[in-house]
Structures are given as C-alpha cells and as structure tokens.
C-alpha cells in the first residue's frame, strides 16, 4: 500500500507575539467500518486518523481528536502564537497505530 500524502504549510516568517496560520491536509479515506464494498458487499474495515498533534519546538501547542464523522482527506487550519524561531511538527496518528509526521521551520522576527 502506498504511503498517503500529508501536507503542512507554515509561513516562512512571523512576528514575535502575533499569531500565524498552520494549514494541514492528509490524504486518507477515513473509513468508518460501516460502509459495504460496492462489489463484494463486505464491510470496508475501519481506517481513521484518530488524532492530530502540533508541536512547536517540541512543546505540544495544539491537538485534535477525530472520529468517524470526519470526511476523507481531512483539511485543518489553526493559529499558533509566534514565540521563537524553530520547528512546527505535525503528527497524524491512525487507529492502526501508524504515525506520520511532517515538519517545517519558521523564523520569528522582532518587527
């Protein structure tokens, strides 16, 4: 099975004390385990991203728990307050235990 694509977009720079937008996209079918395959009639197994975590220089600054109501290929944006130059790390955690991580660097300016 090919690895699903994960995307993370963070601005290159931000001003200290201001908020910046983090954008994420995960290519994933988000199967509920209740849908039947159109040809075989068998249930398609449960396959979900259960949690998204955002770390800023290693500190957890945002998380989101996801359930069966989340659509396929979930897109999420949220804001983080700019404190210091460093790394934004997003981890998607699937119900199978698979973890996928993407990182981006951001430079914080004084003005």
């Amino acid at each position: 099975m090919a690895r699903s694509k994960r995307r993370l977009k963070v601005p290159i720079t931000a001003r200290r004390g201001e908020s910046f937008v983090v954008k994420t996209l995960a290519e994933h079918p988000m199967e509920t385990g209740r849908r039947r395959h159109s040809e075989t009639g068998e249930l398609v197994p449960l396959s979900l991203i259960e949690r998204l975590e955002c770390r800023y220089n290693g500190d957890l600054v945002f998380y989101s728990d996801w359930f069966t109501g989340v659509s396929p290929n979930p897109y999420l944006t949220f804001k983080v307050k700019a404190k210091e130059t460093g790394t934004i790390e997003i981890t998607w955690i699937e119900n199978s235990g698979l973890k996928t991580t993407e990182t981006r660097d951001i430079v914080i300016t004084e003005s």
Side-chain angles (χ1 to χ4, degrees):
M1 182 175 178
R3 179 179 177 261
S4 297
K5 291 183 183 178
R6 305 289 192 255
R7 296 187 179 100
L8 169 60
K9 188 173 182 179
V10 174
I12 296 169
T13 63
R15 290 187 180 140
R16 187 178 314 279
E18 294 185 356
S19 295
F20 60 91
V21 176
V22 175
K23 298 179 183 181
T24 70
L25 174 69
E27 289 185 6
H28 195 279
M30 299 296 282
E31 290 291 348
T32 65
R34 295 186 204 121
R35 185 177 68 86
R36 295 201 177 270
H37 190 278
S38 61
E39 294 177 12
T40 65
E42 293 183 17
L43 286 175
V44 176
L46 177 73
S47 178
L48 297 174
I49 296 173
E50 291 184 322
R51 185 175 177 100
L52 176 139
E53 295 180 347
C54 176
R55 296 185 186 279
Y56 185 4
N57 288 338
D59 295 329
L60 184 67
V61 294
F62 178 86
Y63 71 90
S64 178
D65 291 323
W66 294 352
F67 303 94
T68 56
V70 175
S71 67
N73 306 318
Y75 172 76
L76 177 70
T77 65
F78 55 92
K79 291 183 178 183
V80 175
K81 190 170 186 176
K83 293 182 180 180
E84 59 191 16
T85 296
T87 302
I88 299 294
E89 176 183 283
I90 299 290
T91 301
W92 294 265
I93 303 167
E94 298 186 34
N95 67 302
S96 66
L98 178 67
K99 293 182 180 183
T100 308
T101 300
E102 291 288 331
T103 61
R104 297 291 181 273
D105 293 330
I106 187 165
V107 175
I108 305 305
T109 62
E110 292 301 324
S111 58

